[in-house]
Amino acid sequence: MLVRTALQSAKYSYRTLAKMSSFEERKWNSLSERMSSFHEWFKQEFNTLYELADGSFNNRGMNLSLYLQSARQFEHHLTTHHTIEERHIFPVLGKKMPSFAADHEHIKSHEGIHDGLESLSKLVRKWKQDPSTYSPEEMRACLDGFKDVLFTHLDQEVADLRGENMKKYWTLKELESIPM
């Protein structure tokens, strides 16, 4: 029978709306999801550097030189990530979202993080030149010096890119044109 009851039509409409709503929500959250995957990787790498700083990198088949190389790579990857954000993503987001504008929250966090990364880079160079001076305590103190600003920033940036926040500033069509 081709005639639908009002209840059948309502159920059909609800399922269609739920599917559309779910699809649209994924679109709204796409920037946050993509950024989250990068940021979770940075947290994991940071935590690994911290954990292995005590010399337990030897238990994982690494020597000091390889451990220091992984610290250098972490610094390089995070600097590259922030450079891309600052040159290509934040200028677009900052047009409508104050926290991404120049001289605001996220840029200031980057500055604090990069002070810590510069300290890390200096230590890595020092220990590469003279491995006998390596100090697990000094390495962990350096990492402790910027962990809070780094992790808070990584989490806050993802939160600011979540769909419910993006809806305050963008249309879905505009959102889909943001380069990321």
Side-chain angles (χ1 to χ4, degrees):
M1 179 186 218
L2 295 175
V3 177
R4 286 191 191 163
T5 66
L7 181 59
Q8 289 171 324
S9 292
K11 286 181 181 178
Y12 174 78
S13 295
Y14 176 76
R15 282 193 303 264
T16 303
L17 181 60
K19 285 181 185 176
M20 177 61 92
S21 180
S22 176
F23 179 71
E24 282 187 5
E25 283 304 309
R26 282 195 304 275
K27 284 183 171 184
W28 278 109
N29 285 304
S30 64
L31 294 179
S32 177
E33 292 298 319
R34 280 185 264 168
M35 194 64 79
S36 180
S37 66
F38 286 109
H39 288 191
E40 290 304 314
W41 184 84
F42 286 123
K43 287 189 220 176
Q44 181 182 6
E45 287 299 301
F46 182 97
N47 286 332
T48 299
L49 285 175
Y50 194 90
E51 177 188 338
L52 299 180
D54 65 358
S56 61
F57 49 80
N58 289 310
N59 299 336
R60 295 206 187 170
M62 299 172 80
N63 58 27
L64 178 61
S65 181
L66 288 173
Y67 172 72
L68 295 175
Q69 181 64 22
S70 67
R72 193 203 65 72
Q73 287 174 338
F74 171 78
E75 181 270 331
H76 175 74
H77 292 152
L78 189 52
T79 298
T80 300
H81 175 78
H82 283 172
T83 300
I84 291 167
E85 285 181 335
E86 291 172 12
R87 290 185 185 163
H88 302 285
I89 299 167
F90 286 8
V92 175
L93 294 173
K95 290 176 184 174
K96 293 188 175 194
M97 301 175 77
S99 64
F100 289 98
D103 294 328
H104 279 81
E105 181 180 338
H106 293 298
I107 296 292
K108 288 181 181 181
S109 293
H110 283 188
E111 292 167 1
I113 293 163
H114 286 281
D115 289 345
L117 290 173
E118 182 57 34
S119 296
L120 178 62
S121 183
K122 287 177 184 176
L123 286 175
V124 167
R125 285 192 303 271
K126 177 180 102 169
W127 294 326
K128 283 268 192 187
Q129 288 176 349
D130 187 1
S132 68
T133 64
Y134 177 73
S135 165
E137 295 80 15
E138 194 174 7
M139 178 61 148
R140 283 192 170 160
C142 175
L143 294 170
D144 282 334
F146 68 100
K147 180 181 182 175
D148 286 345
V149 69
L150 173 63
F151 280 51
T152 299
H153 166 73
L154 295 174
D155 291 341
Q156 187 60 53
E157 200 172 273
V158 168
D160 286 349
L161 293 172
R162 284 198 183 107
E164 67 269 10
N165 192 50
M166 298 301 279
K167 289 175 186 179
K168 297 174 190 173
Y169 303 99
W170 306 93
T171 66
L172 193 51
K173 186 175 181 171
E174 289 172 325
L175 181 75
E176 291 171 338
S177 69
I178 294 174
M180 186 151 70

